Amino acid sequence: MVEKHDEMGSIFSFIKGQVDKLPISNSKKNKMLDQLLKLKTMTVDAREPRIALVGRRGSGKSSLINAMFGQERQYVSSVKSGTGKGKWLWYPSDANPKIRLLDSRGLGESEAPTEEFEEESPLQELMKAVTEEQPDVFLFLIKAKEADARIEEDLQELNKLRMLVKEKHHYDVPVICVVTQVDELDPPHYKQAPFDANPKKKQNMEEAMMLMSKRFDESDIPLLNIIPICSYIDFDESGNIEYDMRWNIDLLSDYLIEALPSEAKLKTAKAIQSQFVKRKFARTIVGTFTAIAGIIGAEPIPFADFPILTGIQGLMIVVIGFIADKDINTKSASEFIAALGINVGIGLLVREGVRAAVRFVPVAGLAVSGAVAGGVTYGIGQAAIAYFIENKDIDQAKNAYKNANKNFKNEDIES
């Protein structure tokens, strides 16, 4: 993890150094540097997200963790409250920290948890935990069949947590409501995803969501979204998935990334086991890199833009590889660019220096237009997504590059 960030940091420092040397006005240079700072926050400064799971006992907090990771990392208690102390935990494990999760005793429980606990009430446990570490987002879980139960007290406690974080950390925590166990809604015999394909189940699901929306509004809690899910997944003794009935987990994961601060998005996309989420976030990353390349390419600075653009494209490939959880460095990024039929990559540039690298680029010394710079960067990004995330072969990646470059338009990036 540290080595990969060092890789990103080295490339970024190289790019920034080249921008600092550009013979352009300070206003234009500052515009480029502002965009690069946003890129640095999302990549070089990336950190693990801090996600707080809040809900009653049996609402499915531990099951949701299992569903999002596709691995059995948290034991699920079927009778008593399983989680004891409100505690921040590393997932998948302390040895392999990817996501910081706050799991706690369920709100409104009447029995003591099976694990050791310290505070008198679930709320006190949570208040202590969010004082120690600031959560990036609250996931408020409620069972679909309990949406009409009295939850006013639960939402009051959630608001107390939000106000405490605002006071202690000066951060307004976004909230996503997760309606769990929708498979248990009537009709009970319908137990297959997509659950909204059954008209009666869909109607009951929508009623539960409307009721939750009303309750949040009455409690004056801003809500990002309400997402119905089924997180049921079963494992065999070896930890392999034996039965999978998950539904809408991809949608929830997607909204989760949207809710997080910029510096927490990248590592979340890497940790969540969903190709759909990885691909969508990677496309956002490609749009960011393409926009920056377009700004730089639009400046009439012969030759000087080449090392900057090459560095940006190389860093983009390293980041996409990171999302795909694959070991990509400047050398392999250079080899990938070469395999696409492009003359030189970031690896050669960094190893040999600008003067040596320019010999391999026939058009070096000519200004690159914003459209060309954007189109090439966009094409490389789409090719990297195809190859590293979608696991397509190099010929398919070449086709993705050619098609994306050919069809590139500025509105692709803005959208």
Side-chain angles (χ1 to χ4, degrees), residues 42-279:
M42 190 177 291
T43 58
V44 180
D45 297 338
R47 64 164 174 80
E48 293 80 6
R50 297 183 291 264
I51 302 167
L53 304 171
V54 181
R56 292 182 179 180
R57 176 172 64 90
S59 61
K61 297 189 296 295
S62 298
S63 297
L64 177 59
I65 295 171
N66 291 345
M68 293 180 74
F69 286 97
Q71 300 174 0
E72 191 171 19
R73 296 292 182 185
Q74 177 79 0
Y75 119 81
V76 180
S77 175
S78 58
V79 182
K80 293 179 68 177
S81 176
T83 304
K85 293 187 295 183
K87 53 192 175 185
W88 287 100
L89 303 170
W90 284 114
Y91 285 86
S93 67
D94 289 346
N96 185 24
K98 292 184 178 181
I99 286 183
R100 192 76 166 149
L101 285 172
L102 173 60
D103 200 4
S104 69
R105 293 161 60 187
L107 299 176
E109 67 185 42
S110 58
E111 296 290 333
T114 55
E115 291 182 5
E116 175 189 356
F117 63 98
E118 294 178 351
E119 304 297 335
E120 288 296 325
S121 71
L123 179 60
Q124 289 175 318
E125 294 279 2
L126 285 168
M127 292 182 74
K128 180 179 178 181
V130 300
T131 299
E132 293 172 350
E133 291 188 43
Q134 172 214 304
D136 292 319
V137 62
F138 280 120
L139 297 185
F140 181 86
L141 279 65
I142 182 76
K143 290 172 64 174
K145 281 191 170 183
E146 294 183 356
D148 59 347
R150 289 184 58 84
I151 64 164
E152 290 83 1
E153 182 181 349
D154 297 358
L155 293 180
Q156 287 176 7
E157 293 186 348
L158 175 62
N159 233 348
K160 289 179 182 178
L161 293 172
R162 290 182 60 250
M163 294 301 104
L164 179 61
V165 174
K166 206 167 187 177
E167 176 188 347
K168 297 291 184 181
H169 304 289
H170 310 289
Y171 179 69
D172 192 3
V173 187
V175 180
I176 299 175
C177 177
V178 185
V179 179
T180 66
Q181 302 177 22
V182 297
D183 54 302
E184 294 186 359
L185 289 170
D186 289 336
H189 64 269
Y190 192 86
K191 292 282 189 179
Q192 62 185 56
F195 295 102
D196 55 357
N198 180 277
K200 183 62 176 177
K201 219 175 192 76
K202 181 179 180 181
Q203 179 184 347
N204 289 331
M205 199 183 304
E206 289 173 347
E207 288 178 359
M209 294 168 64
M210 288 177 60
L211 187 55
M212 290 308 303
S213 178
K214 180 181 178 181
R215 293 290 180 261
F216 269 87
D217 188 57
E218 290 170 347
S219 301
D220 197 27
I221 299 177
L223 193 61
L224 284 183
N225 207 340
I226 301 175
I227 303 177
I229 69 162
C230 175
S231 58
Y232 186 77
I233 184 171
D234 205 3
F235 301 84
D236 60 22
E237 294 181 356
S238 301
N240 299 314
I241 296 175
E242 191 172 48
Y243 186 74
D244 192 348
M245 205 164 67
R246 287 175 293 181
W247 179 70
N248 260 7
I249 299 300
D250 284 356
L251 181 64
L252 173 59
S253 300
D254 186 33
Y255 271 100
L256 173 62
I257 291 178
E258 289 294 323
L260 293 171
S262 294
E263 64 271 20
K265 294 178 184 291
L266 180 63
K267 289 194 174 183
T268 307
K270 177 185 179 182
I272 290 175
Q273 300 302 307
S274 165
Q275 189 187 81
F276 167 81
V277 174
K278 290 179 184 293
R279 181 172 60 244

